[in-house]
Amino acid sequence: MDYIEKLLEKLKEWARKIVETILGPDSQPEPAPVPIPVDDRQHRRR
């Protein structure tokens, strides 16, 4: 049984490498943009 499990792991690894080669690496979701506060006042009060 241990031999079969090792064989399956190798097959999974090869399949993952083939898919990454064809489609590119695993796409990760783009991080949400962080809002940056902007001081839109034209002139500051003194």
Side-chain angles (χ1 to χ4, degrees):
M1 283 300 257
D2 193 40
Y3 175 76
I4 294 173
E5 289 176 4
K6 287 181 181 179
L7 180 63
L8 286 174
E9 283 299 316
K10 280 290 186 185
L11 288 173
K12 286 179 189 178
E13 185 178 324
W14 289 344
R16 183 183 52 79
K17 286 182 181 181
I18 291 170
V19 169
E20 281 184 1
T21 301
I22 294 171
L23 301 177
D26 289 342
S27 61
Q28 297 186 359
E30 200 170 306
V34 177
I36 300 173
V38 176
D39 185 11
D40 61 352
R41 291 180 283 175
Q42 299 239 344
H43 299 285
R44 293 187 178 187
R45 295 180 183 171
R46 294 182 189 200

